[in-house]
């Protein structure tokens, strides 16, 4: 199975900060990568697909980049609603896998 | 509006069985692959299984292979997960998730609210 590793596991930031989360794949997945946001007690919400495609309705402060094995999720200016846990997911293989998650906390 | 409504969760003893259901509405269910994704208490997301739109292809995580069976009834717009030989480590919220395409590989553009399965004596 393809392993997905996110860093950092926890990130402390303030409103207005630029935030970057990294996701690394154990083998090349081209751009078959999605990012999700999850808040406590809620289902995950799709943010980005194909590494950089913004899902409809998602604010433009969210962006993604990367290909192959290294990917990033960037929040250009952190808003109060953005404090949550973020997951990457690879769908290059039939056995799809998630990263372990990055929790974005209030500094 | 796309809706996915899971049911069937509950408390079950180790070694027991349970069947989860996911009722879909607001889209043409038979056109899209669908997955089960679980989340143990305080842990991250774990993909469990996927079934293609037609039901002809199914795939499983190694952790559930041979114990869980995914199926769908497109006439009833319903996805199922039959779970046997349940273990304590299967305790989790189980989410139904719609894939953006008909094939089994893809990102999940809609999720249900989840149903809790607790395996304990």
């Amino acid at each position: 199975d393809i392993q997905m590793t996110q860093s950092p596991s926890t990130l402390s930031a303030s409103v207005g900060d630029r935030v970057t989360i990294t996701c690394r794949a154990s083998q090349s997945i081209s751009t078959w990568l999605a990012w999700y946001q999850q808040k406590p007690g809620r289902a995950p919400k799709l943010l980005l697909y194909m590494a950089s495609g913004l899902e409809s309705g998602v604010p433009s402060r969210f962006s993604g980049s990367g290909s192959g094995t290294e990917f990033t999720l960037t929040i250009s200016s952190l808003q109060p609603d953005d404090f949550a846990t973020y997951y990457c997911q690879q769908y290059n293989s039939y056995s799809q896998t998630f990263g372990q998650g990055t929790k974005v906390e209030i500094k | 509006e796309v809706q996915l409504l899971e049911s069937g969760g509950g408390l079950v003893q180790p070694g027991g069985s349970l069947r989860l259901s996911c009722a879909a509405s607001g889209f043409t269910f038979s056109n899209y692959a669908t997955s089960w994704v679980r989340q143990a208490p305080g842990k991250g997301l774990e993909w469990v299984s996927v079934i293609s739109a037609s039901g002809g292809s199914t795939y499983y995580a190694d952790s559930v292979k041979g114990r869980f069976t995914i199926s769908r009834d497109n006439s009833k717009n319903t996805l199922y997960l039959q779970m046997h030989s349940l273990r304590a480590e299967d305790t989790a919220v189980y989410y139904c998730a719609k894939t953006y395409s008909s094939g089994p590989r893809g990102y999940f553009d809609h999720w249900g609210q989840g149903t809790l399965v607790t395996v304990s004596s």
Side-chain angles (χ1 to χ4, degrees), chain B residues 37-51:
Chain B
V37 177
R38 68 184 181 183
Q39 187 169 37
K43 303 297 183 182
L45 301 171
E46 180 188 15
W47 172 80
V48 172
S49 181
V50 63
I51 187 167

Side-chain angles (χ1 to χ4, degrees), chain B residues 32-84:
Chain B
Y32 297 93
T34 323
S35 278
W36 289 98
V37 177
R38 68 184 181 183
Q39 187 169 37
K43 303 297 183 182
L45 301 171
E46 180 188 15
W47 172 80
V48 172
S49 181
V50 63
I51 187 167
S52 62
S54 67
S57 298
T58 59
Y59 299 89
Y60 299 90
D62 287 344
S63 58
V64 306
K65 202 172 293 183
R67 300 187 299 123
F68 290 12
T69 302
I70 191 171
S71 62
R72 63 193 295 157
D73 186 336
N74 284 343
S75 69
K76 295 183 178 179
N77 292 341
T78 303
L79 175 74
Y80 302 100
L81 185 68
Q82 180 68 54
M83 304 184 292
H84 294 296

Side-chain angles (χ1 to χ4, degrees), chain A residues 38 41-44, chain B residues 4-12 18-23 35-41 45-46 48 68 78-83 86 89-97 111-119:
Chain A
Q38 187 181 33
R42 305 290 298 275
Chain B
L4 299 165
L5 186 62
E6 302 94 336
S7 61
L11 176 64
V12 60
L18 208 58
R19 189 178 83 156
L20 306 182
S21 299
C22 171
S35 278
W36 289 98
V37 177
R38 68 184 181 183
Q39 187 169 37
L45 301 171
E46 180 188 15
V48 172
F68 290 12
T78 303
L79 175 74
Y80 302 100
L81 185 68
Q82 180 68 54
M83 304 184 292
L86 283 161
E89 54 265 36
D90 296 318
T91 294
V93 173
Y94 284 73
Y95 293 102
C96 167
W111 297 66
Q113 87 292 342
T115 187
L116 177 62
V117 173
T118 302
V119 184

Side-chain angles (χ1 to χ4, degrees), chain A residues 36 38 43 87 89 92 94 96, chain B residues 39 47 104-108 112:
Chain A
Y36 302 87
Q38 187 181 33
Y87 295 92
Q89 175 226 351
N92 179 74
Y94 292 119
Q96 297 153 80
Chain B
Q39 187 169 37
W47 172 80
R105 292 186 302 156
Y107 57 86
F108 308 122

